[in-house]
PDB file of all heavy atoms in Angstrom:
ATOM      1  N   LEU A  29      66.037  93.144 110.596  1.00 83.00           N
ATOM      2  CA  LEU A  29      66.962  92.861 109.482  1.00 83.00           C
ATOM      3  C   LEU A  29      67.084  93.952 108.485  1.00 83.00           C
ATOM      4  O   LEU A  29      68.202  94.436 108.172  1.00 83.00           O
ATOM      5  CB  LEU A  29      66.558  91.580 108.763  1.00 83.00           C
ATOM      6  CG  LEU A  29      67.459  91.131 107.681  1.00 83.00           C
ATOM      7  CD1 LEU A  29      68.875  90.796 108.205  1.00 83.00           C
ATOM      8  CD2 LEU A  29      66.849  89.966 106.871  1.00 83.00           C
ATOM      9  N   LYS A  30      66.015  94.489 107.937  1.00 83.00           N
ATOM     10  CA  LYS A  30      66.031  95.556 106.949  1.00 83.00           C
ATOM     11  C   LYS A  30      66.698  96.738 107.444  1.00 83.00           C
ATOM     12  O   LYS A  30      67.484  97.386 106.727  1.00 83.00           O
ATOM     13  CB  LYS A  30      64.596  95.851 106.381  1.00 83.00           C
ATOM     14  CG  LYS A  30      64.010  94.748 105.567  1.00 83.00           C
ATOM     15  CD  LYS A  30      62.604  94.965 105.122  1.00 83.00           C
ATOM     16  CE  LYS A  30      62.052  93.662 104.371  1.00 83.00           C
ATOM     17  NZ  LYS A  30      60.785  93.813 103.976  1.00 83.00           N
ATOM     18  N   GLN A  31      66.468  97.062 108.597  1.00 86.00           N
ATOM     19  CA  GLN A  31      67.085  98.291 109.153  1.00 86.00           C
ATOM     20  C   GLN A  31      68.509  98.163 109.367  1.00 86.00           C
ATOM     21  O   GLN A  31      69.325  98.919 109.132  1.00 86.00           O
ATOM     22  CB  GLN A  31      66.371  98.586 110.615  1.00 86.00           C
ATOM     23  CG  GLN A  31      66.939  99.796 111.313  1.00 86.00           C
ATOM     24  CD  GLN A  31      66.337  99.935 112.721  1.00 86.00           C
ATOM     25  OE1 GLN A  31      65.652  99.125 113.254  1.00 86.00           O
ATOM     26  NE2 GLN A  31      66.676 101.075 113.311  1.00 86.00           N
ATOM     27  N   LYS A  32      68.928  96.921 109.874  1.00 86.00           N
ATOM     28  CA  LYS A  32      70.411  96.729 109.949  1.00 86.00           C
ATOM     29  C   LYS A  32      71.104  96.611 108.713  1.00 86.00           C
ATOM     30  O   LYS A  32      72.263  97.163 108.635  1.00 86.00           O
ATOM     31  CB  LYS A  32      70.608  95.351 110.738  1.00 86.00           C
ATOM     32  CG  LYS A  32      69.995  95.283 112.182  1.00 86.00           C
ATOM     33  CD  LYS A  32      70.750  96.143 113.147  1.00 86.00           C
ATOM     34  CE  LYS A  32      70.175  95.959 114.443  1.00 86.00           C
ATOM     35  NZ  LYS A  32      70.621  97.045 115.359  1.00 86.00           N
ATOM     36  N   ILE A  33      70.480  96.022 107.633  1.00 86.00           N
ATOM     37  CA  ILE A  33      71.098  95.995 106.362  1.00 86.00           C
ATOM     38  C   ILE A  33      71.316  97.457 105.843  1.00 86.00           C
ATOM     39  O   ILE A  33      72.365  97.754 105.220  1.00 86.00           O
ATOM     40  CB  ILE A  33      70.305  95.208 105.382  1.00 86.00           C
ATOM     41  CG1 ILE A  33      70.443  93.647 105.758  1.00 86.00           C
ATOM     42  CG2 ILE A  33      70.747  95.332 103.952  1.00 86.00           C
ATOM     43  CD1 ILE A  33      69.542  92.721 104.917  1.00 86.00           C
ATOM     44  N   LYS A  34      70.310  98.263 105.972  1.00 89.00           N
ATOM     45  CA  LYS A  34      70.323  99.576 105.601  1.00 89.00           C
ATOM     46  C   LYS A  34      71.553 100.400 106.333  1.00 89.00           C
ATOM     47  O   LYS A  34      72.247 101.087 105.605  1.00 89.00           O
ATOM     48  CB  LYS A  34      69.015 100.301 105.775  1.00 89.00           C
ATOM     49  CG  LYS A  34      68.825 101.667 105.245  1.00 89.00           C
ATOM     50  CD  LYS A  34      67.418 102.215 105.509  1.00 89.00           C
ATOM     51  CE  LYS A  34      67.243 103.513 104.922  1.00 89.00           C
ATOM     52  NZ  LYS A  34      65.883 104.111 105.173  1.00 89.00           N
ATOM     53  N   THR A  35      71.604 100.148 107.638  1.00 91.00           N
ATOM     54  CA  THR A  35      72.603 100.653 108.342  1.00 91.00           C
ATOM     55  C   THR A  35      74.017 100.293 107.947  1.00 91.00           C
ATOM     56  O   THR A  35      75.022 101.035 107.728  1.00 91.00           O
ATOM     57  CB  THR A  35      72.431 100.406 109.799  1.00 91.00           C
ATOM     58  OG1 THR A  35      71.140 100.749 110.316  1.00 91.00           O
ATOM     59  CG2 THR A  35      73.511 101.140 110.702  1.00 91.00           C
ATOM     60  N   PHE A  36      74.190  98.931 107.589  1.00 89.00           N
ATOM     61  CA  PHE A  36      75.383  98.289 107.130  1.00 89.00           C
ATOM     62  C   PHE A  36      75.845  99.008 105.910  1.00 89.00           C
ATOM     63  O   PHE A  36      77.026  99.325 105.641  1.00 89.00           O
ATOM     64  CB  PHE A  36      75.323  96.864 106.963  1.00 89.00           C
ATOM     65  CG  PHE A  36      75.849  95.922 108.079  1.00 89.00           C
ATOM     66  CD1 PHE A  36      75.012  94.873 108.458  1.00 89.00           C
ATOM     67  CD2 PHE A  36      76.974  96.233 108.660  1.00 89.00           C
ATOM     68  CE1 PHE A  36      75.451  94.105 109.590  1.00 89.00           C
ATOM     69  CE2 PHE A  36      77.465  95.410 109.736  1.00 89.00           C
ATOM     70  CZ  PHE A  36      76.631  94.335 110.190  1.00 89.00           C
ATOM     71  N   LYS A  37      74.839  99.158 104.861  1.00 89.00           N
ATOM     72  CA  LYS A  37      75.126  99.774 103.659  1.00 89.00           C
ATOM     73  C   LYS A  37      75.589 101.261 103.757  1.00 89.00           C
ATOM     74  O   LYS A  37      76.547 101.672 103.104  1.00 89.00           O
ATOM     75  CB  LYS A  37      73.940  99.689 102.720  1.00 89.00           C
ATOM     76  CG  LYS A  37      73.722  98.283 102.139  1.00 89.00           C
ATOM     77  CD  LYS A  37      72.471  98.248 101.249  1.00 89.00           C
ATOM     78  CE  LYS A  37      72.279  96.857 100.698  1.00 89.00           C
ATOM     79  NZ  LYS A  37      71.212  96.886  99.767  1.00 89.00           N
ATOM     80  N   ALA A  38      74.971 101.936 104.708  1.00 94.00           N
ATOM     81  CA  ALA A  38      75.294 103.306 104.979  1.00 94.00           C
ATOM     82  C   ALA A  38      76.706 103.431 105.451  1.00 94.00           C
ATOM     83  O   ALA A  38      77.560 104.336 104.980  1.00 94.00           O
ATOM     84  CB  ALA A  38      74.377 104.105 105.850  1.00 94.00           C
ATOM     85  N   VAL A  39      77.105 102.569 106.428  1.00 94.00           N
ATOM     86  CA  VAL A  39      78.420 102.655 107.037  1.00 94.00           C
ATOM     87  C   VAL A  39      79.402 102.267 105.937  1.00 94.00           C
ATOM     88  O   VAL A  39      80.544 102.731 105.853  1.00 94.00           O
ATOM     89  CB  VAL A  39      78.482 101.565 108.185  1.00 94.00           C
ATOM     90  CG1 VAL A  39      79.985 101.391 108.626  1.00 94.00           C
ATOM     91  CG2 VAL A  39      77.719 102.204 109.385  1.00 94.00           C
ATOM     92  N   GLN A  40      79.123 101.217 105.118  1.00 91.00           N
ATOM     93  CA  GLN A  40      79.998 100.887 104.014  1.00 91.00           C
ATOM     94  C   GLN A  40      80.299 102.004 103.017  1.00 91.00           C
ATOM     95  O   GLN A  40      81.387 102.232 102.618  1.00 91.00           O
ATOM     96  CB  GLN A  40      79.504  99.650 103.226  1.00 91.00           C
ATOM     97  CG  GLN A  40      80.399  99.119 102.185  1.00 91.00           C
ATOM     98  CD  GLN A  40      79.740  97.850 101.497  1.00 91.00           C
ATOM     99  OE1 GLN A  40      78.564  97.814 101.317  1.00 91.00           O
ATOM    100  NE2 GLN A  40      80.631  97.008 101.012  1.00 91.00           N
ATOM    101  N   GLN A  41      79.183 102.784 102.730  1.00 95.00           N
ATOM    102  CA  GLN A  41      79.404 103.969 101.744  1.00 95.00           C
ATOM    103  C   GLN A  41      80.274 104.965 102.492  1.00 95.00           C
ATOM    104  O   GLN A  41      81.243 105.552 101.756  1.00 95.00           O
ATOM    105  CB  GLN A  41      78.068 104.498 101.497  1.00 95.00           C
ATOM    106  CG  GLN A  41      77.318 103.720 100.448  1.00 95.00           C
ATOM    107  CD  GLN A  41      75.837 104.315 100.207  1.00 95.00           C
ATOM    108  OE1 GLN A  41      75.374 105.081 100.899  1.00 95.00           O
ATOM    109  NE2 GLN A  41      75.244 103.757  99.132  1.00 95.00           N
ATOM    110  N   LYS A  42      80.092 105.285 103.738  1.00 97.00           N
ATOM    111  CA  LYS A  42      80.952 106.254 104.448  1.00 97.00           C
ATOM    112  C   LYS A  42      82.331 105.727 104.553  1.00 97.00           C
ATOM    113  O   LYS A  42      83.346 106.476 104.389  1.00 97.00           O
ATOM    114  CB  LYS A  42      80.506 106.378 105.993  1.00 97.00           C
ATOM    115  CG  LYS A  42      79.113 107.026 105.929  1.00 97.00           C
ATOM    116  CD  LYS A  42      79.156 108.469 105.623  1.00 97.00           C
ATOM    117  CE  LYS A  42      77.771 109.149 105.839  1.00 97.00           C
ATOM    118  NZ  LYS A  42      77.699 110.486 105.350  1.00 97.00           N
ATOM    119  N   GLU A  43      82.590 104.458 104.720  1.00 95.00           N
ATOM    120  CA  GLU A  43      83.884 103.890 104.736  1.00 95.00           C
ATOM    121  C   GLU A  43      84.612 104.093 103.421  1.00 95.00           C
ATOM    122  O   GLU A  43      85.863 104.453 103.408  1.00 95.00           O
ATOM    123  CB  GLU A  43      83.839 102.394 105.190  1.00 95.00           C
ATOM    124  CG  GLU A  43      85.163 101.707 105.298  1.00 95.00           C
ATOM    125  CD  GLU A  43      85.019 100.260 105.620  1.00 95.00           C
ATOM    126  OE1 GLU A  43      83.965  99.612 105.276  1.00 95.00           O
ATOM    127  OE2 GLU A  43      85.938  99.668 106.230  1.00 95.00           O
ATOM    128  N   GLU A  44      83.835 103.836 102.289  1.00 95.00           N
ATOM    129  CA  GLU A  44      84.471 103.926 100.974  1.00 95.00           C
ATOM    130  C   GLU A  44      84.885 105.510 100.732  1.00 95.00           C
ATOM    131  O   GLU A  44      85.850 105.750 100.243  1.00 95.00           O
ATOM    132  CB  GLU A  44      83.485 103.433  99.960  1.00 95.00           C
ATOM    133  CG  GLU A  44      84.059 103.467  98.576  1.00 95.00           C
ATOM    134  CD  GLU A  44      85.299 102.564  98.363  1.00 95.00           C
ATOM    135  OE1 GLU A  44      85.396 101.534  99.038  1.00 95.00           O
ATOM    136  OE2 GLU A  44      86.100 102.942  97.506  1.00 95.00           O
ATOM    137  N   LEU A  45      83.956 106.311 101.180  1.00 97.00           N
ATOM    138  CA  LEU A  45      84.230 107.753 100.971  1.00 97.00           C
ATOM    139  C   LEU A  45      85.521 108.166 101.916  1.00 97.00           C
ATOM    140  O   LEU A  45      86.411 108.818 101.302  1.00 97.00           O
ATOM    141  CB  LEU A  45      83.056 108.630 101.521  1.00 97.00           C
ATOM    142  CG  LEU A  45      83.175 110.123 101.507  1.00 97.00           C
ATOM    143  CD1 LEU A  45      83.326 110.478  99.959  1.00 97.00           C
ATOM    144  CD2 LEU A  45      81.979 110.744 102.114  1.00 97.00           C
ATOM    145  N   LEU A  46      85.634 107.693 102.983  1.00 97.00           N
ATOM    146  CA  LEU A  46      86.907 107.967 103.878  1.00 97.00           C
ATOM    147  C   LEU A  46      88.017 107.344 103.196  1.00 97.00           C
ATOM    148  O   LEU A  46      89.148 107.904 103.139  1.00 97.00           O
ATOM    149  CB  LEU A  46      86.680 107.380 105.180  1.00 97.00           C
ATOM    150  CG  LEU A  46      85.698 108.236 106.180  1.00 97.00           C
ATOM    151  CD1 LEU A  46      85.506 107.545 107.463  1.00 97.00           C
ATOM    152  CD2 LEU A  46      86.309 109.572 106.431  1.00 97.00           C
ATOM    153  N   ARG A  47      87.884 106.168 102.607  1.00 96.00           N
ATOM    154  CA  ARG A  47      89.099 105.536 101.934  1.00 96.00           C
ATOM    155  C   ARG A  47      89.516 106.389 100.795  1.00 96.00           C
ATOM    156  O   ARG A  47      90.686 106.633 100.583  1.00 96.00           O
ATOM    157  CB  ARG A  47      88.645 104.185 101.435  1.00 96.00           C
ATOM    158  CG  ARG A  47      89.850 103.286 100.990  1.00 96.00           C
ATOM    159  CD  ARG A  47      89.509 101.893 100.584  1.00 96.00           C
ATOM    160  NE  ARG A  47      89.119 101.257 101.690  1.00 96.00           N
ATOM    161  CZ  ARG A  47      87.848 100.586 101.900  1.00 96.00           C
ATOM    162  NH1 ARG A  47      86.945 100.607 100.993  1.00 96.00           N
ATOM    163  NH2 ARG A  47      87.593  99.937 103.027  1.00 96.00           N
ATOM    164  N   LEU A  48      88.659 106.898  99.981  1.00 97.00           N
ATOM    165  CA  LEU A  48      88.953 107.771  98.908  1.00 97.00           C
ATOM    166  C   LEU A  48      89.531 109.072  99.374  1.00 97.00           C
ATOM    167  O   LEU A  48      90.475 109.570  98.705  1.00 97.00           O
ATOM    168  CB  LEU A  48      87.734 108.053  98.094  1.00 97.00           C
ATOM    169  CG  LEU A  48      87.213 106.914  97.234  1.00 97.00           C
ATOM    170  CD1 LEU A  48      85.811 107.274  96.520  1.00 97.00           C
ATOM    171  CD2 LEU A  48      88.185 106.471  96.173  1.00 97.00           C
ATOM    172  N   GLN A  49      88.994 109.675 100.409  1.00 97.00           N
ATOM    173  CA  GLN A  49      89.627 110.845 101.019  1.00 97.00           C
ATOM    174  C   GLN A  49      91.131 110.649 101.379  1.00 97.00           C
ATOM    175  O   GLN A  49      91.980 111.475 101.230  1.00 97.00           O
ATOM    176  CB  GLN A  49      88.791 111.442 102.133  1.00 97.00           C
ATOM    177  CG  GLN A  49      87.483 112.038 101.681  1.00 97.00           C
ATOM    178  CD  GLN A  49      86.390 112.401 102.817  1.00 97.00           C
ATOM    179  OE1 GLN A  49      86.757 111.904 103.911  1.00 97.00           O
ATOM    180  NE2 GLN A  49      85.510 113.235 102.523  1.00 97.00           N
ATOM    181  N   LEU A  50      91.316 109.510 102.104  1.00 97.00           N
ATOM    182  CA  LEU A  50      92.709 109.239 102.599  1.00 97.00           C
ATOM    183  C   LEU A  50      93.620 109.086 101.319  1.00 97.00           C
ATOM    184  O   LEU A  50      94.808 109.476 101.455  1.00 97.00           O
ATOM    185  CB  LEU A  50      92.649 107.964 103.491  1.00 97.00           C
ATOM    186  CG  LEU A  50      92.083 108.117 104.789  1.00 97.00           C
ATOM    187  CD1 LEU A  50      92.010 106.741 105.509  1.00 97.00           C
ATOM    188  CD2 LEU A  50      92.971 109.095 105.676  1.00 97.00           C
ATOM    189  N   GLU A  51      93.111 108.512 100.257  1.00 97.00           N
ATOM    190  CA  GLU A  51      93.927 108.330  99.174  1.00 97.00           C
ATOM    191  C   GLU A  51      94.314 109.670  98.587  1.00 97.00           C
ATOM    192  O   GLU A  51      95.466 109.891  98.125  1.00 97.00           O
ATOM    193  CB  GLU A  51      93.229 107.537  98.060  1.00 97.00           C
ATOM    194  CG  GLU A  51      93.917 107.124  96.834  1.00 97.00           C
ATOM    195  CD  GLU A  51      93.138 106.267  95.902  1.00 97.00           C
ATOM    196  OE1 GLU A  51      92.499 105.361  96.314  1.00 97.00           O
ATOM    197  OE2 GLU A  51      92.922 106.759  94.753  1.00 97.00           O
ATOM    198  N   LYS A  52      93.267 110.601  98.546  1.00 97.00           N
ATOM    199  CA  LYS A  52      93.478 111.955  98.017  1.00 97.00           C
ATOM    200  C   LYS A  52      94.554 112.740  98.960  1.00 97.00           C
ATOM    201  O   LYS A  52      95.328 113.484  98.428  1.00 97.00           O
ATOM    202  CB  LYS A  52      92.226 112.718  97.854  1.00 97.00           C
ATOM    203  CG  LYS A  52      91.341 112.184  96.807  1.00 97.00           C
ATOM    204  CD  LYS A  52      92.017 112.278  95.485  1.00 97.00           C
ATOM    205  CE  LYS A  52      90.992 111.609  94.421  1.00 97.00           C
ATOM    206  NZ  LYS A  52      91.637 111.486  93.115  1.00 97.00           N
ATOM    207  N   PHE A  53      94.420 112.562 100.190  1.00 96.00           N
ATOM    208  CA  PHE A  53      95.381 113.130 101.157  1.00 96.00           C
ATOM    209  C   PHE A  53      96.746 112.614 100.877  1.00 96.00           C
ATOM    210  O   PHE A  53      97.696 113.394 100.881  1.00 96.00           O
ATOM    211  CB  PHE A  53      95.015 112.889 102.530  1.00 96.00           C
ATOM    212  CG  PHE A  53      93.872 113.911 103.118  1.00 96.00           C
ATOM    213  CD1 PHE A  53      92.821 113.366 103.685  1.00 96.00           C
ATOM    214  CD2 PHE A  53      94.101 115.206 103.090  1.00 96.00           C
ATOM    215  CE1 PHE A  53      91.820 114.181 104.144  1.00 96.00           C
ATOM    216  CE2 PHE A  53      93.152 116.100 103.504  1.00 96.00           C
ATOM    217  CZ  PHE A  53      91.997 115.702 104.103  1.00 96.00           C
ATOM    218  N   GLY A  54      96.919 111.378 100.574  1.00 96.00           N
ATOM    219  CA  GLY A  54      98.221 110.799 100.280  1.00 96.00           C
ATOM    220  C   GLY A  54      98.781 111.519  98.941  1.00 96.00           C
ATOM    221  O   GLY A  54      99.969 111.777  98.968  1.00 96.00           O
ATOM    222  N   GLU A  55      98.023 111.612  98.013  1.00 96.00           N
ATOM    223  CA  GLU A  55      98.442 112.228  96.738  1.00 96.00           C
ATOM    224  C   GLU A  55      98.776 113.645  97.023  1.00 96.00           C
ATOM    225  O   GLU A  55      99.771 114.175  96.399  1.00 96.00           O
ATOM    226  CB  GLU A  55      97.252 112.098  95.664  1.00 96.00           C
ATOM    227  CG  GLU A  55      97.052 110.803  95.200  1.00 96.00           C
ATOM    228  CD  GLU A  55      95.756 110.614  94.331  1.00 96.00           C
ATOM    229  OE1 GLU A  55      95.174 111.703  93.801  1.00 96.00           O
ATOM    230  OE2 GLU A  55      95.340 109.622  93.967  1.00 96.00           O
ATOM    231  N   LEU A  56      98.002 114.338  97.834  1.00 96.00           N
ATOM    232  CA  LEU A  56      98.343 115.815  98.228  1.00 96.00           C
ATOM    233  C   LEU A  56      99.550 115.900  98.906  1.00 96.00           C
ATOM    234  O   LEU A  56     100.440 116.773  98.527  1.00 96.00           O
ATOM    235  CB  LEU A  56      97.163 116.360  99.099  1.00 96.00           C
ATOM    236  CG  LEU A  56      97.409 117.794  99.535  1.00 96.00           C
ATOM    237  CD1 LEU A  56      97.396 118.766  98.397  1.00 96.00           C
ATOM    238  CD2 LEU A  56      96.205 118.157 100.418  1.00 96.00           C
ATOM    239  N   LYS A  57      99.956 114.954  99.819  1.00 95.00           N
ATOM    240  CA  LYS A  57     101.321 114.975 100.544  1.00 95.00           C
ATOM    241  C   LYS A  57     102.441 114.789  99.492  1.00 95.00           C
ATOM    242  O   LYS A  57     103.446 115.413  99.593  1.00 95.00           O
ATOM    243  CB  LYS A  57     101.272 113.845 101.634  1.00 95.00           C
ATOM    244  CG  LYS A  57     100.504 114.250 102.721  1.00 95.00           C
ATOM    245  CD  LYS A  57     100.421 113.304 103.951  1.00 95.00           C
ATOM    246  CE  LYS A  57     101.053 111.928 103.937  1.00 95.00           C
ATOM    247  NZ  LYS A  57     100.910 111.110 105.095  1.00 95.00           N
ATOM    248  N   ILE A  58     102.216 113.846  98.497  1.00 95.00           N
ATOM    249  CA  ILE A  58     103.313 113.658  97.427  1.00 95.00           C
ATOM    250  C   ILE A  58     103.438 114.960  96.644  1.00 95.00           C
ATOM    251  O   ILE A  58     104.600 115.279  96.390  1.00 95.00           O
ATOM    252  CB  ILE A  58     102.900 112.438  96.616  1.00 95.00           C
ATOM    253  CG1 ILE A  58     103.005 111.130  97.478  1.00 95.00           C
ATOM    254  CG2 ILE A  58     103.741 112.433  95.406  1.00 95.00           C
ATOM    255  CD1 ILE A  58     102.464 109.893  96.743  1.00 95.00           C
ATOM    256  N   ALA A  59     102.268 115.603  96.288  1.00 94.00           N
ATOM    257  CA  ALA A  59     102.404 116.737  95.473  1.00 94.00           C
ATOM    258  C   ALA A  59     103.151 117.836  96.303  1.00 94.00           C
ATOM    259  O   ALA A  59     103.906 118.569  95.723  1.00 94.00           O
ATOM    260  CB  ALA A  59     101.061 117.266  95.078  1.00 94.00           C
ATOM    261  N   ILE A  60     102.813 117.952  97.575  1.00 95.00           N
ATOM    262  CA  ILE A  60     103.535 119.050  98.403  1.00 95.00           C
ATOM    263  C   ILE A  60     105.035 118.671  98.498  1.00 95.00           C
ATOM    264  O   ILE A  60     105.868 119.597  98.352  1.00 95.00           O
ATOM    265  CB  ILE A  60     102.844 119.128  99.840  1.00 95.00           C
ATOM    266  CG1 ILE A  60     101.444 119.700  99.713  1.00 95.00           C
ATOM    267  CG2 ILE A  60     103.691 119.931 100.695  1.00 95.00           C
ATOM    268  CD1 ILE A  60     100.628 119.495 100.929  1.00 95.00           C
ATOM    269  N   ALA A  61     105.307 117.469  98.718  1.00 94.00           N
ATOM    270  CA  ALA A  61     106.731 117.097  98.787  1.00 94.00           C
ATOM    271  C   ALA A  61     107.470 117.302  97.521  1.00 94.00           C
ATOM    272  O   ALA A  61     108.627 117.742  97.450  1.00 94.00           O
ATOM    273  CB  ALA A  61     106.831 115.580  99.252  1.00 94.00           C
ATOM    274  N   THR A  62     106.780 116.992  96.431  1.00 93.00           N
ATOM    275  CA  THR A  62     107.436 117.280  95.032  1.00 93.00           C
ATOM    276  C   THR A  62     107.729 118.768  94.871  1.00 93.00           C
ATOM    277  O   THR A  62     108.785 119.120  94.352  1.00 93.00           O
ATOM    278  CB  THR A  62     106.491 116.672  93.936  1.00 93.00           C
ATOM    279  OG1 THR A  62     106.252 115.339  94.218  1.00 93.00           O
ATOM    280  CG2 THR A  62     107.129 116.903  92.612  1.00 93.00           C
ATOM    281  N   THR A  63     106.697 119.622  95.190  1.00 92.00           N
ATOM    282  CA  THR A  63     106.932 121.014  94.971  1.00 92.00           C
ATOM    283  C   THR A  63     108.055 121.623  95.987  1.00 92.00           C
ATOM    284  O   THR A  63     108.679 122.548  95.695  1.00 92.00           O
ATOM    285  CB  THR A  63     105.624 121.857  95.149  1.00 92.00           C
ATOM    286  OG1 THR A  63     105.129 121.546  96.443  1.00 92.00           O
ATOM    287  CG2 THR A  63     104.624 121.485  94.132  1.00 92.00           C
ATOM    288  N   MET A  64     108.122 120.973  97.160  1.00 90.00           N
ATOM    289  CA  MET A  64     109.106 121.463  98.130  1.00 90.00           C
ATOM    290  C   MET A  64     110.598 121.186  97.585  1.00 90.00           C
ATOM    291  O   MET A  64     111.464 121.924  97.956  1.00 90.00           O
ATOM    292  CB  MET A  64     108.915 120.690  99.425  1.00 90.00           C
ATOM    293  CG  MET A  64     109.732 121.263 100.648  1.00 90.00           C
ATOM    294  SD  MET A  64     109.088 120.508 102.122  1.00 90.00           S
ATOM    295  CE  MET A  64     109.806 118.864 102.125  1.00 90.00           C
TER     296      MET A  64
END
């Protein structure tokens, strides 16, 4: 159980990091389109 919970938490942190990165990529695309 403790090992699985630790793994779940690590995966959740990675998922949140990816979510933030995707959000930043979306902002970057808007910035590029605006300058274009």
